[in-house]
Amino acid sequence: MFTLVEMTDTVRIPPHLFHIKLNDAVIEELNNKFANKVVYNVGLCIALFDITKLEDSFIFPGDGASHTRVHFRYVVFRPFMDEILQGRIRSCSREGVHVSLGFFDDILIPPDALQQPSKFDESEQVWVWEYETEEGTHDLFMDKEEEIRFRVVDEVFVDTTPTGPKVSEAAEADKEAKKSPYSLVGTISEPGLGLLSWWNSIG
Amino acid sequence: MEVVNDQAAMLSNYEVFSLLKEIESKGKKKKSRAQQNLATITYETLKYLSNTPCTLQNLEMVAEFMEALGPYNLTKAEKLQLLNHRPSSAVEIQLIIEESEERLTEEQIDELLQLVADKLPDPNAPEGGGEGEEFGEGGTERMEEEEE
């Protein structure tokens, strides 16, 4: 689920922080810059793990702050393909089941990756797994706040760096703004996947 | 900003949990507006990890567990998932280990479940060992039903 990523960056320490030890100031700045942010093609940064190397600090003309090149390692959330994760159902819509991990929300299980056969119940806005046994069809509802186990099938990184003013419609820019920078696609179409209550009651 | 190596190491939930607890305890001394992001992500991730089996693990347990998994020829990712999820039924083992039916015999799967139940504490019940065994057998029976 979590990986360690080695990165380098130039950290700017403003003069009013010169009284703190360089190490601590750098740690604070790095956490401010990266924590809870998505780095393109890397993942969701959680927290700084450690600093491996601090190079010399420079002061440039016109700016009173010191600039230090830092090599560090960061804890990043990036599940690998086919990893099993456990989360909670946030909501259901026609697009599928939205799952959340608390610290990460953009997980979608599309309709064709649900246990088959499944149908969408419009009145209650939930997906239902129509589980067939000899006795008949059981309707297993996928309610909100239920714990669900799923397999990660795909990850999508979207570059959300701001671009210049668009000559074409402003509506396009609005659509892009809603896309999340990092989202996961999951599946529950295997035995053992889906709501925990479906499989725990057997044993 | 450059990324030197985006897969330097894989971390278990336990390692991330202990790191975040350390950060949280240090962070209580100084709070500034700028640290809000770190506080948010730390809080949410700790909340998530508190509901996983990793909270009861410690360094020796993890090392012992990894050594005990040696003879089964599992990939690093599979061992990590076993550690993070602490499977209690054969169905879960099938999910975590690819082609488990071909690579492991039923006895070995039962051994694995027993190993997991022994080495890693169960967050759900005080007697982790007994319940682990029950689930193991129940799970195998369920597998046979599905195949029919």
Side-chain angles (χ1 to χ4, degrees), chain A residues 1-9 28 31-37 39 41-42 44-49 69 75 78 80 82-88 101-103 131 147 149 151 190-193 199-200 202-203, chain B residues 1-13 15-16 19-20 23 30 32 34-38 40-42 44-45 48-49 51 77-78 80-81 84-85 88 91-92 94-96 98 134-135 138-139 142 146:
Chain A
M1 212 189 310
F2 298 102
T3 55
L4 211 56
V5 177
E6 281 176 20
M7 300 198 272
T8 56
D9 195 12
E28 211 180 299
N31 275 329
N32 287 351
K33 184 168 178 184
F34 290 107
N36 207 15
K37 304 245 168 70
V39 178
N41 278 343
V42 170
L44 173 70
C45 295
I46 307 282
L48 182 73
F49 187 72
R69 195 149 173 78
V75 176
R78 186 184 191 176
F80 46 88
D82 296 337
E83 183 172 356
I84 306 288
L85 289 179
Q86 207 164 298
R88 280 182 186 272
L101 293 179
F103 59 94
Y131 178 56
E147 298 233 354
R149 194 182 290 139
R151 191 190 285 280
E190 285 171 48
L193 296 178
W199 304 99
N200 282 344
I202 312 296
Chain B
M1 192 262 290
E2 283 162 23
V3 177
V4 174
N5 184 355
D6 66 352
Q7 184 80 0
M10 294 205 279
L11 295 173
S12 65
N13 286 5
E15 289 168 296
V16 177
L19 176 78
L20 288 178
I23 292 181
K30 44 175 179 173
S32 58
Q35 299 276 5
Q36 192 53 42
N37 269 333
L38 180 67
T40 310
I41 191 79
T42 311
E44 291 286 350
T45 313
Y48 174 76
L49 290 176
N51 288 335
E78 289 166 353
L80 185 66
Q81 284 194 84
N84 284 344
H85 282 278
S88 48
V91 185
E92 294 174 53
Q94 261 200 319
L95 285 176
I96 292 177
E98 268 179 75
E134 275 177 35
F135 274 122
R142 170 125 186 92
E146 290 254 3

Side-chain angles (χ1 to χ4, degrees), chain B residues 41-109:
Chain B
I41 191 79
T42 311
Y43 171 70
E44 291 286 350
T45 313
L46 274 174
K47 205 163 102 176
Y48 174 76
L49 290 176
S50 315
N51 288 335
T52 64
C54 74
T55 49
L56 301 166
Q57 294 169 359
N58 61 41
L59 214 53
E60 298 105 34
M61 271 187 225
V62 176
E64 262 183 52
F65 184 65
M66 285 294 150
E67 267 185 56
L69 286 180
Y72 294 97
N73 283 339
L74 301 170
T75 67
K76 211 162 150 189
E78 289 166 353
K79 288 193 225 176
L80 185 66
Q81 284 194 84
L82 282 173
L83 181 66
N84 284 344
H85 282 278
R86 202 192 172 277
S88 48
S89 67
V91 185
E92 294 174 53
I93 298 259
Q94 261 200 319
L95 285 176
I96 292 177
I97 303 178
E98 268 179 75
E99 295 171 12
S100 58
E101 285 155 32
E102 292 168 19
R103 284 159 60 185
L104 304 170
T105 63
E106 268 198 42
E107 280 170 11
Q108 283 182 309
I109 295 186

Side-chain angles (χ1 to χ4, degrees), chain A residues 16-157:
Chain A
H16 63 86
L17 295 178
F18 280 175
H19 63 286
I20 317 176
K21 265 178 69 174
L22 180 63
N23 234 0
D24 296 336
V26 165
I27 291 176
E28 211 180 299
E29 284 296 313
L30 285 174
N31 275 329
N32 287 351
K33 184 168 178 184
F34 290 107
N36 207 15
K37 304 245 168 70
V38 171
V39 178
Y40 188 61
N41 278 343
V42 170
L44 173 70
C45 295
I46 307 282
L48 182 73
F49 187 72
D50 64 2
I51 297 180
T52 45
K53 191 167 156 194
L54 269 179
E55 295 183 20
D56 291 335
S57 306
F58 292 98
I59 297 185
F60 295 111
D63 185 6
S66 79
H67 299 253
T68 319
R69 195 149 173 78
V70 188
H71 299 248
F72 57 97
R73 294 189 290 188
Y74 224 89
V75 176
V76 171
F77 169 72
R78 186 184 191 176
F80 46 88
M81 286 303 107
D82 296 337
E83 183 172 356
I84 306 288
L85 289 179
Q86 207 164 298
R88 280 182 186 272
I89 296 183
R90 192 163 47 107
S91 64
C92 289
S93 72
R94 285 227 146 262
E95 297 163 15
V97 180
H98 301 267
V99 182
S100 156
L101 293 179
F103 59 94
F104 185 73
D105 277 343
D106 300 308
I107 304 173
L108 178 69
I109 304 179
D112 48 0
L114 298 173
Q115 297 270 12
Q116 299 302 330
S118 289
K119 73 171 195 291
F120 187 57
D121 186 340
E122 290 287 348
S123 53
E124 296 191 35
Q125 292 284 304
V126 283
W127 281 94
V128 186
W129 179 27
E130 294 162 329
Y131 178 56
E132 290 185 21
T133 57
E134 294 110 24
E135 301 146 353
T137 322
H138 290 278
D139 271 354
L140 297 170
F141 285 81
M142 302 180 68
D143 295 317
K144 276 190 203 182
E145 302 302 322
E146 288 281 348
E147 298 233 354
I148 183 172
R149 194 182 290 139
F150 60 97
R151 191 190 285 280
V152 176
V153 170
D154 196 15
E155 60 180 13
V156 181
F157 280 104

